[in-house]
Amino acid sequence: MREPKKLHMKDPVYKLIELTGISSVSIEEAVNKAVKRAHKTIKNLRWFQVVETRGNIEKGKVHNWQVTIKVGFAVNG
């Protein structure tokens, strides 16, 4: 009896997580910090979407940026 062929998925399936990066320099650096940290423990990172940008102010100046992102990574199957 023949074994059925294994199906190879052409279209990936993604899982989403939400992260918040923080930087005293820029929005871009906050995003990069979040992605860099996630990359240490999560494989197959593929894309991100900025969900929210906020920050705090000290003495009339922006003290830091807080950027929340959704990160999509491919799920192996």
Side-chain angles (χ1 to χ4, degrees), residues 18-67:
E18 203 167 87
L19 305 168
T20 300
I22 299 172
S23 169
S24 61
V25 176
S26 68
I27 294 169
E28 185 176 351
E29 183 177 276
V31 170
N32 284 324
K33 283 183 174 185
V35 170
K36 184 176 180 179
R37 178 59 185 89
H39 176 71
K40 290 181 180 182
T41 57
I42 301 170
K43 295 181 183 355
N44 302 317
L45 295 175
R46 295 290 185 249
W47 57 269
F48 73 92
Q49 172 187 356
V50 174
V51 177
E52 183 177 21
T53 304
R54 61 188 176 279
N56 70 338
I57 301 167
E58 286 188 12
K59 298 179 183 177
K61 294 184 180 180
V62 173
H63 183 254
N64 66 38
W65 297 95
Q66 301 166 0
V67 182

